[in-house]
Each structure stands twice: as C-alpha cells, then as structure tokens.
Amino acid sequence: MRAVLAVLLSVVLVGCSAAKASVSGDDLIVVGVKADQPGLGFREGGVFRGFEVDVGTYIARQIGASRVEFREVRSDDRERKLAGRDVDLVLASYSITPDRAKLVTFGGPYYVAHQDIMVRRGDSRIRSVRDLAGRRMCQASGSVSTDRVVKGLSIPASLVPGSSYSDCVAKLRGGVVDAVSTGDLVLAGFAARDLEIVNAPFTDERYGVGLRKGDVDGCEAVNRALTTMYQDGTAGELLRKWFGKSGITLVEEVPQFEGCS
C-alpha cells in the first residue's frame, strides 16, 4: 500500500512540476524588453515604454497574469536570461532563426518587419542594399541583421562593431559608420531630422516571443493571445500609436505563426 501511495504521490508531483514548467497561467510574468530602442522598448524615468512593452503587457494579461513586470535584455543575453529564469517572455526585436530556435521556443511572430537601411540624411551614396558594398556598416552585438547582408547576400560591407543599436546609431551620427541595417521597426524609432530610412526593404525579420525551450503550452497560449490581439484591432492601434508617423508601411494582418515545438 505504501508503495502504491508513493507512486501516486510521485505522479502528482511530476504533474505539478510539468504544469509549473509553462509560463501560461502564472500570476506574475516578467517580460524582457530592450531599454534603448525608441518605439519598441525604451526606458525613460525608470518606466519602460514602446510597442513591444504594450504587446508584452497584452500577451501576459491574456495568458493569465495579474501582474506584469519588465526587465532589460540585450541582443547578446536574451537566451541566457530566459534559461536562467530572469525573464519569462522576451519581446526584444527577437528575429526567429533556426539557430535561435534550438535554444528557445518561439511564439508568433507578432510582427514581420522588413530589413532596411538607415543613413545620414542627404547621403545619396546608399540607396539600396547593394550600395553597402565597401561601406562601413555597424554590427550590433548579438544581432543577425548584418549576417543577412554580408553572408546571405554576399555583399562585402566593412563591419564596425557596436554594443547595441543605440550605439550603432550614435556611430552613424558621428560618422564612424556609413549605415545601420536592421528591421524597419527598429530603424523607425531612431529616425530623426539628421537620419533617414532608405526605404528599400530587402528581406523579412520575423519578430518572435521568446519562451524557455520546450514550453509548448506557453507558446500555444501566446499564439492564441496574438491572434486575438490582431482580431480585436489592438495590434493595428499599437502599430499606429508607435510608428504611424514614421512613413514605413505597417502590416495589420495577423502573421503566419511558426508553430510551437
């Protein structure tokens, strides 16, 4: 009898452990976002603001959280902070790639951005991705955007390292680099009088919601939340709120999801 009870108890404990393995249904959800990307994730006066902050809040509420907190992540530490349980979800211009999908489970994408190029206003030398050949392009730490240019398209740009996209933009303003290339939503947040987007998109960047590897239940819950977000009009409202004046073309239809695995 004791042996049977022990087996039953172990089954219950395993079941509880499996349930807790998913972020879905947690009362508190911690969302990792960028702190230095205007329009997407930006910390000002100790408060995080931006499209990804609003989307993260929406998702967390939809999947059961009564409390939502935000913590900063960088492009080069997103996987580590998920695995270490510093954050539960990551929305940080996190492009879905096969290599990254080996380390995390992706919900979404919640938006398909288009990679474009930012230059100093009036610089007519760079009008398309091919014009990056021989030019100095900033490579943000942990980002895959420059690989799409140099490796994917075999364009021999000269890469200059930057710690983040805000650092890359500072280098562009200072004349250290000739261009910054990444998703148009990222670039739109930095666009200003002295900088312009070339508006010559050349590939897609599928921005996913990062979850801990294997959290299929959480991923499916995130995808249901994203579907609702587009169907009830919230996605369009948020896109127009943060990027409506940028001049880039905004897509308000629900993206095709990758599928949870």
Short mmCIF file of all heavy atoms in Angstrom, two decimals, residues 2-45:
data_model
loop_
_atom_site.label_atom_id
_atom_site.label_comp_id
_atom_site.label_asym_id
_atom_site.label_seq_id
_atom_site.Cartn_x
_atom_site.Cartn_y
_atom_site.Cartn_z
N ARG A 2 1.90 1.27 0.86
CA ARG A 2 2.80 2.41 0.91
C ARG A 2 3.48 2.64 -0.44
O ARG A 2 3.68 3.78 -0.87
CB ARG A 2 3.86 2.21 1.99
CG ARG A 2 3.28 2.31 3.41
CD ARG A 2 4.39 2.14 4.42
NE ARG A 2 3.86 2.27 5.77
CZ ARG A 2 4.60 2.10 6.87
NH1 ARG A 2 5.90 1.81 6.75
NH2 ARG A 2 4.06 2.24 8.07
N ALA A 3 3.83 1.52 -1.09
CA ALA A 3 4.49 1.64 -2.39
C ALA A 3 3.56 2.28 -3.41
O ALA A 3 3.97 3.13 -4.23
CB ALA A 3 4.94 0.26 -2.89
N VAL A 4 2.27 1.89 -3.35
CA VAL A 4 1.30 2.46 -4.28
C VAL A 4 1.12 3.95 -4.04
O VAL A 4 1.08 4.76 -4.96
CB VAL A 4 -0.06 1.74 -4.14
CG1 VAL A 4 -1.13 2.45 -4.97
CG2 VAL A 4 0.07 0.30 -4.59
N LEU A 5 1.02 4.32 -2.74
CA LEU A 5 0.88 5.73 -2.38
C LEU A 5 2.08 6.55 -2.84
O LEU A 5 1.95 7.68 -3.30
CB LEU A 5 0.68 5.88 -0.87
CG LEU A 5 -0.67 5.41 -0.33
CD1 LEU A 5 -0.67 5.47 1.19
CD2 LEU A 5 -1.80 6.27 -0.89
N ALA A 6 3.26 5.95 -2.69
CA ALA A 6 4.48 6.64 -3.11
C ALA A 6 4.48 6.90 -4.60
O ALA A 6 4.88 7.98 -5.07
CB ALA A 6 5.70 5.81 -2.72
N VAL A 7 4.02 5.90 -5.37
CA VAL A 7 3.96 6.06 -6.82
C VAL A 7 2.96 7.14 -7.19
O VAL A 7 3.22 8.01 -8.04
CB VAL A 7 3.57 4.72 -7.50
CG1 VAL A 7 3.27 4.96 -8.99
CG2 VAL A 7 4.69 3.71 -7.34
N LEU A 8 1.78 7.12 -6.51
CA LEU A 8 0.77 8.13 -6.80
C LEU A 8 1.26 9.53 -6.48
O LEU A 8 1.04 10.48 -7.22
CB LEU A 8 -0.51 7.83 -6.01
CG LEU A 8 -1.31 6.59 -6.46
CD1 LEU A 8 -2.45 6.33 -5.49
CD2 LEU A 8 -1.84 6.79 -7.87
N LEU A 9 1.96 9.64 -5.34
CA LEU A 9 2.49 10.93 -4.94
C LEU A 9 3.51 11.44 -5.95
O LEU A 9 3.53 12.62 -6.30
CB LEU A 9 3.13 10.83 -3.56
CG LEU A 9 3.74 12.14 -3.01
CD1 LEU A 9 2.66 13.21 -2.91
CD2 LEU A 9 4.39 11.89 -1.65
N SER A 10 4.36 10.55 -6.43
CA SER A 10 5.37 10.96 -7.40
C SER A 10 4.73 11.42 -8.70
O SER A 10 5.19 12.37 -9.33
CB SER A 10 6.35 9.81 -7.68
OG SER A 10 5.70 8.74 -8.36
N VAL A 11 3.63 10.76 -9.09
CA VAL A 11 2.93 11.16 -10.31
C VAL A 11 2.35 12.56 -10.14
O VAL A 11 2.43 13.41 -11.03
CB VAL A 11 1.81 10.15 -10.65
CG1 VAL A 11 0.91 10.71 -11.76
CG2 VAL A 11 2.41 8.82 -11.07
N VAL A 12 1.76 12.81 -8.96
CA VAL A 12 1.18 14.13 -8.69
C VAL A 12 2.26 15.20 -8.72
O VAL A 12 2.09 16.27 -9.30
CB VAL A 12 0.45 14.13 -7.32
CG1 VAL A 12 0.07 15.55 -6.94
CG2 VAL A 12 -0.78 13.25 -7.38
N LEU A 13 3.39 14.91 -8.08
CA LEU A 13 4.48 15.88 -8.03
C LEU A 13 5.04 16.16 -9.41
O LEU A 13 5.33 17.31 -9.76
CB LEU A 13 5.60 15.38 -7.11
CG LEU A 13 5.25 15.37 -5.61
CD1 LEU A 13 6.38 14.73 -4.83
CD2 LEU A 13 4.97 16.78 -5.11
N VAL A 14 5.18 15.12 -10.22
CA VAL A 14 5.67 15.30 -11.59
C VAL A 14 4.68 16.14 -12.38
O VAL A 14 5.03 17.04 -13.15
CB VAL A 14 5.91 13.94 -12.27
CG1 VAL A 14 6.15 14.14 -13.77
CG2 VAL A 14 7.09 13.23 -11.64
N GLY A 15 3.39 15.85 -12.18
CA GLY A 15 2.35 16.61 -12.87
C GLY A 15 2.39 18.07 -12.49
O GLY A 15 2.27 18.97 -13.33
N CYS A 16 2.58 18.37 -11.19
CA CYS A 16 2.67 19.75 -10.74
C CYS A 16 3.89 20.43 -11.32
O CYS A 16 3.84 21.59 -11.74
CB CYS A 16 2.72 19.80 -9.21
SG CYS A 16 1.16 19.34 -8.42
N SER A 17 5.01 19.70 -11.35
CA SER A 17 6.24 20.25 -11.89
C SER A 17 6.08 20.59 -13.35
O SER A 17 6.52 21.64 -13.82
CB SER A 17 7.39 19.26 -11.70
OG SER A 17 8.56 19.74 -12.29
N ALA A 18 5.40 19.68 -14.11
CA ALA A 18 5.19 19.93 -15.53
C ALA A 18 4.32 21.15 -15.74
O ALA A 18 4.54 21.97 -16.64
CB ALA A 18 4.56 18.70 -16.19
N ALA A 19 3.27 21.29 -14.87
CA ALA A 19 2.39 22.43 -15.01
C ALA A 19 3.14 23.74 -14.77
O ALA A 19 2.94 24.73 -15.45
CB ALA A 19 1.22 22.31 -14.03
N LYS A 20 4.01 23.74 -13.78
CA LYS A 20 4.76 24.95 -13.45
C LYS A 20 5.83 25.26 -14.49
O LYS A 20 6.39 26.35 -14.50
CB LYS A 20 5.38 24.81 -12.06
CG LYS A 20 4.36 24.84 -10.92
CD LYS A 20 5.04 24.74 -9.58
CE LYS A 20 4.04 24.76 -8.45
NZ LYS A 20 3.25 26.00 -8.42
N ALA A 21 6.13 24.28 -15.35
CA ALA A 21 7.17 24.49 -16.35
C ALA A 21 6.72 25.49 -17.42
O ALA A 21 7.54 26.05 -18.13
CB ALA A 21 7.55 23.16 -17.01
N SER A 22 5.39 25.70 -17.53
CA SER A 22 4.87 26.63 -18.53
C SER A 22 4.58 27.98 -17.91
O SER A 22 4.13 28.08 -16.77
CB SER A 22 3.59 26.07 -19.16
OG SER A 22 3.04 27.00 -20.07
N VAL A 23 4.85 29.02 -18.68
CA VAL A 23 4.57 30.38 -18.22
C VAL A 23 3.07 30.66 -18.22
O VAL A 23 2.60 31.54 -17.50
CB VAL A 23 5.31 31.40 -19.10
CG1 VAL A 23 4.73 31.45 -20.51
CG2 VAL A 23 5.31 32.77 -18.47
N SER A 24 2.32 29.91 -19.01
CA SER A 24 0.89 30.13 -19.12
C SER A 24 0.20 29.93 -17.77
O SER A 24 0.38 28.92 -17.11
CB SER A 24 0.28 29.15 -20.14
OG SER A 24 -1.11 29.35 -20.24
N GLY A 25 -0.58 30.92 -17.37
CA GLY A 25 -1.31 30.82 -16.11
C GLY A 25 -0.57 31.37 -14.91
O GLY A 25 -1.14 31.43 -13.81
N ASP A 26 0.68 31.77 -15.06
CA ASP A 26 1.41 32.35 -13.93
C ASP A 26 0.78 33.68 -13.52
O ASP A 26 0.34 34.47 -14.36
CB ASP A 26 2.88 32.60 -14.31
CG ASP A 26 3.72 31.32 -14.30
OD1 ASP A 26 3.15 30.27 -13.95
OD2 ASP A 26 4.91 31.39 -14.64
N ASP A 27 0.75 33.93 -12.22
CA ASP A 27 0.17 35.18 -11.72
C ASP A 27 1.07 36.37 -12.05
O ASP A 27 0.59 37.44 -12.40
CB ASP A 27 -0.02 35.08 -10.21
CG ASP A 27 -0.66 36.33 -9.64
OD1 ASP A 27 -1.78 36.66 -10.05
OD2 ASP A 27 -0.02 37.00 -8.80
N LEU A 28 2.37 36.16 -11.94
CA LEU A 28 3.34 37.20 -12.29
C LEU A 28 4.15 36.74 -13.49
O LEU A 28 4.71 35.65 -13.50
CB LEU A 28 4.30 37.45 -11.12
CG LEU A 28 5.54 38.30 -11.44
CD1 LEU A 28 5.14 39.73 -11.83
CD2 LEU A 28 6.51 38.31 -10.25
N ILE A 29 4.20 37.58 -14.52
CA ILE A 29 5.01 37.29 -15.70
C ILE A 29 6.01 38.43 -15.89
O ILE A 29 5.63 39.61 -15.91
CB ILE A 29 4.15 37.11 -16.96
CG1 ILE A 29 3.35 35.80 -16.86
CG2 ILE A 29 5.01 37.10 -18.23
CD1 ILE A 29 2.46 35.52 -18.04
N VAL A 30 7.29 38.07 -16.01
CA VAL A 30 8.35 39.05 -16.22
C VAL A 30 8.71 39.03 -17.69
O VAL A 30 9.08 37.99 -18.25
CB VAL A 30 9.58 38.73 -15.35
CG1 VAL A 30 10.67 39.77 -15.59
CG2 VAL A 30 9.20 38.68 -13.87
N VAL A 31 8.62 40.18 -18.32
CA VAL A 31 8.86 40.30 -19.76
C VAL A 31 10.18 41.01 -20.00
O VAL A 31 10.42 42.10 -19.47
CB VAL A 31 7.72 41.08 -20.45
CG1 VAL A 31 7.94 41.13 -21.96
CG2 VAL A 31 6.37 40.45 -20.13
N GLY A 32 11.04 40.40 -20.79
CA GLY A 32 12.31 41.01 -21.16
C GLY A 32 12.15 41.87 -22.40
O GLY A 32 11.66 41.39 -23.42
N VAL A 33 12.53 43.14 -22.30
CA VAL A 33 12.44 44.07 -23.42
C VAL A 33 13.72 44.88 -23.52
O VAL A 33 14.52 44.92 -22.58
CB VAL A 33 11.23 45.03 -23.26
CG1 VAL A 33 9.91 44.27 -23.33
CG2 VAL A 33 11.33 45.81 -21.95
N LYS A 34 13.92 45.52 -24.65
CA LYS A 34 15.06 46.43 -24.79
C LYS A 34 14.79 47.71 -24.00
O LYS A 34 13.64 48.09 -23.77
CB LYS A 34 15.29 46.76 -26.26
CG LYS A 34 15.71 45.58 -27.14
CD LYS A 34 17.13 45.15 -26.82
CE LYS A 34 17.59 44.04 -27.76
NZ LYS A 34 17.81 44.51 -29.16
N ALA A 35 15.86 48.38 -23.62
CA ALA A 35 15.73 49.63 -22.88
C ALA A 35 16.23 50.83 -23.69
O ALA A 35 16.14 51.97 -23.22
CB ALA A 35 16.51 49.55 -21.57
N ASP A 36 16.73 50.57 -24.90
CA ASP A 36 17.36 51.65 -25.67
C ASP A 36 16.91 51.69 -27.12
O ASP A 36 17.62 52.20 -27.98
CB ASP A 36 18.88 51.51 -25.61
CG ASP A 36 19.39 50.20 -26.21
OD1 ASP A 36 18.55 49.32 -26.51
OD2 ASP A 36 20.61 50.06 -26.37
N GLN A 37 15.71 51.17 -27.41
CA GLN A 37 15.20 51.20 -28.77
C GLN A 37 13.88 51.97 -28.80
O GLN A 37 12.81 51.40 -28.57
CB GLN A 37 15.00 49.77 -29.31
CG GLN A 37 16.31 49.07 -29.59
CD GLN A 37 16.15 47.72 -30.28
OE1 GLN A 37 17.14 47.09 -30.67
NE2 GLN A 37 14.93 47.25 -30.44
N PRO A 38 13.93 53.26 -29.06
CA PRO A 38 12.72 54.07 -29.10
C PRO A 38 11.67 53.48 -30.03
O PRO A 38 11.98 52.99 -31.12
CB PRO A 38 13.22 55.42 -29.64
CG PRO A 38 14.67 55.45 -29.26
CD PRO A 38 15.15 54.04 -29.38
N GLY A 39 10.42 53.50 -29.58
CA GLY A 39 9.33 52.95 -30.37
C GLY A 39 9.05 51.50 -30.06
O GLY A 39 7.91 51.06 -30.09
N LEU A 40 10.09 50.73 -29.76
CA LEU A 40 9.93 49.31 -29.46
C LEU A 40 10.04 49.06 -27.96
O LEU A 40 9.10 48.56 -27.33
CB LEU A 40 10.98 48.48 -30.21
CG LEU A 40 10.72 48.25 -31.69
CD1 LEU A 40 11.91 47.56 -32.34
CD2 LEU A 40 9.47 47.42 -31.90
N GLY A 41 11.19 49.35 -27.39
CA GLY A 41 11.40 49.18 -25.96
C GLY A 41 12.39 50.22 -25.49
O GLY A 41 13.55 50.21 -25.91
N PHE A 42 11.91 51.14 -24.65
CA PHE A 42 12.76 52.25 -24.23
C PHE A 42 12.46 52.57 -22.77
O PHE A 42 11.29 52.66 -22.37
CB PHE A 42 12.49 53.48 -25.10
CG PHE A 42 13.45 54.61 -24.87
CD1 PHE A 42 14.74 54.55 -25.38
CD2 PHE A 42 13.07 55.74 -24.17
CE1 PHE A 42 15.64 55.60 -25.19
CE2 PHE A 42 13.95 56.79 -23.97
CZ PHE A 42 15.24 56.71 -24.47
N ARG A 43 13.51 52.73 -21.97
CA ARG A 43 13.30 53.05 -20.55
C ARG A 43 13.55 54.54 -20.34
O ARG A 43 14.61 55.06 -20.64
CB ARG A 43 14.23 52.23 -19.66
CG ARG A 43 13.99 52.45 -18.16
CD ARG A 43 14.69 51.38 -17.34
NE ARG A 43 16.09 51.28 -17.69
CZ ARG A 43 16.85 50.20 -17.43
NH1 ARG A 43 16.32 49.16 -16.83
NH2 ARG A 43 18.12 50.18 -17.77
N GLU A 44 12.54 55.18 -19.80
CA GLU A 44 12.63 56.62 -19.57
C GLU A 44 12.06 56.92 -18.18
O GLU A 44 10.91 56.58 -17.87
CB GLU A 44 11.83 57.37 -20.63
CG GLU A 44 11.98 58.87 -20.58
CD GLU A 44 11.29 59.53 -21.74
OE1 GLU A 44 10.32 58.94 -22.29
OE2 GLU A 44 11.70 60.63 -22.13
N GLY A 45 12.90 57.52 -17.32
CA GLY A 45 12.46 57.81 -15.97
C GLY A 45 12.12 56.55 -15.19
O GLY A 45 11.22 56.57 -14.33
#
